[in-house]
């Protein structure tokens, strides 16, 4: 599915709220963002803001991944306990 570009007003509001996703190409590439107005990332972020927001997003993603891994491990342990108890006949 192709991303739908945000209107400039929505992008501005998201930027003010700190919930935008900075465009790496706009600030880092010599020619700027090749998508121009069709880009669904923020072109308003300064380089320091961009780094700060990307770091925050990376931290949130790491925390979510860690939580998912914990839940998967707990599920495996729960499933493993049931299988081993049923196999040994001690589940009752």
């Amino acid at each position: 599915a192709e991303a739908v570009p945000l209107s400039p007003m929505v992008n501005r509001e998201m930027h003010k709220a700190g919930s935008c996703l900075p465009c790496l190409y706009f600030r880092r590439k010599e020619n700027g963002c090749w998508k121009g107005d069709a880009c669904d990332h923020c072109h308003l972020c300064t380089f320091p803001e961009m780094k700060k927001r990307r770091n925050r997003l990376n931290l949130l993603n790491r925390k979510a991944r860690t939580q998912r891994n914990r839940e998967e491990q707990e599920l495996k342990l729960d499933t493993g306990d049931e299988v081993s108890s049923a196999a040994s006949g001690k589940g009752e």
Side-chain angles (χ1 to χ4, degrees):
E2 197 170 308
V4 177
L6 299 173
S7 73
M9 190 171 82
V10 170
N11 201 354
R12 215 176 353 265
E13 292 304 315
M14 289 177 68
H15 177 77
K16 285 181 189 176
S19 60
C20 62
L21 186 60
C23 178
L24 296 175
Y25 289 100
F26 187 73
R27 292 285 173 213
R28 288 186 164 178
K29 300 295 179 183
E30 193 174 302
N31 296 333
C33 178
W34 62 274
K35 289 185 177 182
D37 291 339
C39 184
D40 59 342
H41 291 78
C42 183
H43 290 181
L44 301 174
C45 289
T46 62
F47 191 74
E49 282 178 313
M50 184 175 70
K51 283 181 71 175
K52 188 169 105 175
R53 290 179 191 196
R54 285 284 174 179
N55 288 340
R56 187 191 73 224
L57 288 173
N58 286 338
L59 176 65
L60 292 173
N61 286 334
R62 276 195 309 274
K63 285 182 177 182
R65 195 170 36 249
T66 300
Q67 182 63 31
R68 255 191 331 269
N69 289 341
R70 281 189 193 133
E71 290 170 358
E72 287 174 3
Q73 288 298 323
E74 289 173 3
L75 183 61
K76 285 179 184 177
L77 289 174
D78 289 345
T79 305
D81 288 343
E82 290 174 15
V83 170
S84 59
S85 344
S88 65
K90 296 181 182 179
E92 296 178 12

